[in-house]
Amino acid sequence: MDCLQDWPEPIVRVQSLSDSGATTIPDRYIKPASDRPSSAPCADLSIPVIDLSSLACSDGTADRAAVVRAVSDACRDWGFFQVVNHGVDPQLMRRTREVWRGFFHLPMEAKQVYANSPKTYEGYGSRLGIEKGAILDWGDYYYLHILPRSLKSHDKWPALPPSLRETTDEYSRELIKLCEQVMKVLSLGLGLQENFLQKAFGGDDVGVCMRVNFYPKCPQPDLALGLSSHSDPGGITVLLADDHVKGLQVRRGHAWVAVQPIPDSFIINVGDQIQVLSNATYRSVEHRVVVNSEAERLSFAFFYNPKSDLPIKPASELVTPDRPALYPSMTFDEYRLYIRKNGPRGKSQVESLKAI
């Protein structure tokens, strides 16, 4: 990873640009006309909403089967779904939002201590990809490792606000439990044993990280994106969206669907590794983030990934003469190098891997 040692040019914090009061955005953030928010129609649709309460019941076999069907249908058709009654305390979700909003509102010098590099991306960042002169997204973020424990270091997490580390630890523990439940449901929806995908990810030896996204107010939101269109490279993503400001859009055919977050819900989507393991039965779907001039936006993307050096390939149970393996074997370490070098670029990576 020597090519990822440092950023190709000085980092500018988007929050500083926003706070400057400028009425126009620098050219570095102006997207080509074809990528701007208005470049494609917005469809008046909603991603599926699934109630997970029956997963906590030991006697609700029929209800559990209905959840498996609903999740399976959503992953085949949309690649996204929203979950309610998921078992994570809404108070914990609110506390997590509060401490991280507090971090992003600290003085800039307090945040700069945690400035990141492209080698691991861990810390306070403002760009994805290392291409010199690239058009950038209108957003800052904080990226942190949770699992494996060998990569997790509280020293690399913000020390302020004082409760941030403890709150983030508690939040991470609860979301890992939720991810483990979802992995079982995804396996059953493929007609496999419930622990199949977890085993394919490395059992208890998975990789978990989180990116806290901060999208400051943008004076020209029609020219910019908070996060360019991409599919997630990893396993599954559990998103805690902003509780007041919407911004996430999901691709549906040639249109975009604006996601309307339900209070105290999570938005879950399938990443490229699940698309590969399921031999494209489940689909990782492109999504993007739009920004606005009226309000900042905060969201939390929790990534549940395979062990980084474990080869990932289509499950043999899902490969038949009529449906041969669509993807070669590749480790997640090899796979994610693409997005770390190039930044978010649609579904160009997973599509390019398809066996010819």
Side-chain angles (χ1 to χ4, degrees), residues 44-55:
D44 189 19
L45 297 167
S46 299
I47 64 170
V49 178
I50 301 172
D51 186 331
L52 297 187
S53 54
S54 63
L55 297 184

Side-chain angles (χ1 to χ4, degrees), residues 136-165:
L136 301 177
D137 290 335
W138 190 264
D140 300 323
Y141 63 85
Y142 203 103
Y143 184 90
L144 41 92
H145 288 293
I146 294 154
L147 288 177
R149 286 188 176 84
S150 59
L151 289 182
K152 178 182 171 184
S153 169
H154 269 180
D155 291 340
K156 295 178 183 174
W157 296 15
L160 294 173
S163 59
L164 184 145
R165 291 174 178 174

Side-chain angles (χ1 to χ4, degrees), residues 168-186:
T168 303
D169 263 335
E170 186 182 351
Y171 180 81
S172 301
R173 284 194 299 271
E174 291 303 307
L175 261 73
I176 287 168
K177 288 181 201 168
L178 175 60
C179 289
E180 288 170 348
Q181 280 193 315
V182 170
M183 291 282 281
K184 289 177 182 176
V185 171
L186 291 174

Side-chain angles (χ1 to χ4, degrees), residues 10 66 92 116 141 152 162 175 233 238 270 300 331 341-342 349:
L92 174 60
N116 73 345
Y141 63 85
K152 178 182 171 184
L175 261 73
V238 180
V270 168
F300 300 77
T331 69
K341 282 183 185 175
N342 301 302
Q349 185 183 10

